[in-house]
Amino acid sequence: MLGMNEIDREDFRNLLDEIGRTRMPFGKYGPKEHPPRGYPIYDLPVEYLTYFKERGFPKGRLGELMEWVWELKANGMDPIFDPIRQQNGGRSRFKPRRPTEWDFGE
């Protein structure tokens, strides 16, 4: 993975565009808890990303993108994702799924 000092402006724009389109495909931020596509990786909490940093990011492109997001957030650059958030209707909120049925024990 290229470091932040080794990437040119156009590549960085492309990287941010790809990050903006990528959603978590598994886990508590995946489609099961955040239907239909999962949580955007740019809004994942830094603590969650740090967990992966310490134990290893997923293999492949998803892991590379998550590592970039962690790097940017860990260096205080979270506002760089604000234009992506505005384009997508604001910051994603983590809300646990509500039950769709209730049993009142008639």
Side-chain angles (χ1 to χ4, degrees):
M1 182 173 105
L2 291 174
M4 282 203 288
N5 297 332
E6 303 170 23
I7 189 168
D8 72 16
R9 178 172 264 170
E10 187 62 29
D11 288 341
F12 191 66
R13 280 190 191 123
N14 292 335
L15 177 69
L16 288 177
D17 184 50
E18 190 175 359
I19 287 170
R21 292 188 319 265
T22 304
R23 305 291 187 129
M24 271 306 283
F26 62 86
K28 75 185 231 179
Y29 293 98
K32 185 175 179 184
E33 297 297 323
H34 298 276
R37 300 179 312 155
Y39 208 71
I41 65 170
Y42 58 83
D43 273 340
L44 291 172
V46 72
E47 297 83 7
Y48 187 71
L49 294 165
T50 300
Y51 169 86
F52 282 102
K53 179 69 176 169
E54 293 169 354
R55 290 163 183 81
F57 286 101
K59 301 276 189 241
R61 189 64 177 158
L62 174 65
E64 292 172 8
L65 294 175
M66 287 173 66
E67 189 170 4
W68 271 104
V69 172
W70 176 83
E71 184 78 31
L72 292 167
K73 286 182 176 237
N75 286 308
M77 297 175 66
D78 187 62
I80 204 163
F81 299 118
D82 287 347
I84 299 169
R85 289 183 183 111
Q86 288 173 351
Q87 184 179 12
N88 292 316
R91 184 179 290 271
S92 299
R93 305 254 185 251
F94 178 75
K95 295 180 184 174
R97 245 174 124 173
R98 294 179 145 203
T100 55
E101 296 181 14
W102 292 274
D103 181 12
F104 294 106
E106 295 180 51

